[in-house]
Amino acid sequence: MTNIDEIAPDVFRISTFVPEGGLQFNQFLVRDEQPLLYHTGMAGLFEPVYAGVAWLIEPSSLRWISFSHFEADECGGLNRWLAAAPQAQAAANMVGTVVNLSDFALRPARMVMHNEILETGTRRFRFIQTPHVPHGWDAGMLYEETGRVLFTSDLFHQSGQVEALTSNSLIDRARQTLLDYQAGPFADYQPYTPRTGTILQSLAGLQPRTLATMHGSSFTGDGGAEINKLNEMMQELAVSFNMLPSLRSVN
Ligand SMILES: [Fe+2]
Ligand SMILES: [Fe+2]
C-alpha cells in the first residue's frame, strides 16, 4: 500500500511499506515549475511510485530525478523513469555522475558540484557531498533552501509502519534500528568515519525545518538540534560497535 502525504508545502512523501523488510520506502516529489523526484525506489516499486507521482503531477512533466547514493532503493527505478518521462534527467554530484550514472543511466546525467545550486523555479536545491554519510563514496544530501527541507536519505532510518510526519524526536527509533541491524546479517549499515562528525555538524548548521527521511517518519521542528543529537548517538554506537577506538580520538 502506498500513501501520499504533504510533509511541507509542495513536498510530498510517497511511501510504500514493504512487510518482508519491515520498513517504509519513501520517495519525495517536490512540485515546482520543474518537478523533482528524490529517490525512485527499487525498479520493483516503479508502478506504485509512478501512480503516486501521477496523483500529484503529470508524470511525463517530471524534470529532475535525484538521490543520495547509488543503491537499488535510491535509484533502481531510474531508467524506468527516464523512459516514462522524456524531459527527465538525473541530477547527481560529481562522484555519482562520473562513477555510476555515466555508465548506468539511459541518458546523460546533470553533474552538480559540491554546494552548487540547482534551481527548479521557486526552489533552490543545494547539492552537498557527504562521503560515507549515510554510506557510499558517492553519498550526498540535498537541501532545499527555500522551504528549508533536508532530504536525509538513510539517516534517521526508523523501522516499521510509522506516521508520515512527526515533531517528536526520531533519535530513539533511529538508535533502535541501528542496534537491530548491527545484531544481524545487515551489520555495519552506516559507518562512522573520522569525517562523519564534521559532516553532520555542517548539515546541522543549515538549520533545516523539515527532515525528509527515506525510511520512517519525517521530522518537523528544529532540524539542526535533531541532527546534532543524531551525531552524538551515532558516535556512541560507533564506539560500542568498535568502528571507533574511543570518543577521545575523534573529538
Ligand atoms: Fe542506502
Ligand atoms: Fe535506503
Side-chain angles (χ1 to χ4, degrees), residues 223-249:
E226 193 70 0
I227 295 168
N228 284 329
K229 283 190 273 183
L230 179 79
N231 185 28
E232 284 173 30
M233 179 271 278
M234 288 182 69
Q235 197 178 69
E236 283 168 19
L237 289 188
V239 173
S240 70
F241 298 164
N242 288 321
M243 284 179 185
L244 290 174
S246 73
L247 285 175
R248 192 180 308 160
S249 67

Side-chain angles (χ1 to χ4, degrees), residues 159-196:
S159 301
Q161 208 163 7
V162 293
E163 68 273 42
L165 182 67
T166 181
S167 57
N168 296 323
S169 176
L170 306 177
I171 299 300
D172 288 347
R173 290 184 195 168
R175 178 193 289 110
Q176 192 59 52
T177 298
L178 291 175
L179 286 169
D180 291 346
Y181 276 38
Q182 196 65 20
F186 296 105
D188 299 339
Y189 171 39
Q190 295 182 20
Y192 194 99
T193 79
R195 294 175 195 264
T196 300

Side-chain angles (χ1 to χ4, degrees), residues 197-229:
T198 304
I199 289 171
L200 291 175
Q201 284 164 11
S202 75
L203 294 173
L206 298 169
Q207 295 288 306
R209 281 198 295 243
T210 303
L211 302 173
T213 67
M214 184 179 205
H215 309 289
S217 301
S218 292
F219 173 81
T220 179
D222 186 343
E226 193 70 0
I227 295 168
N228 284 329
K229 283 190 273 183

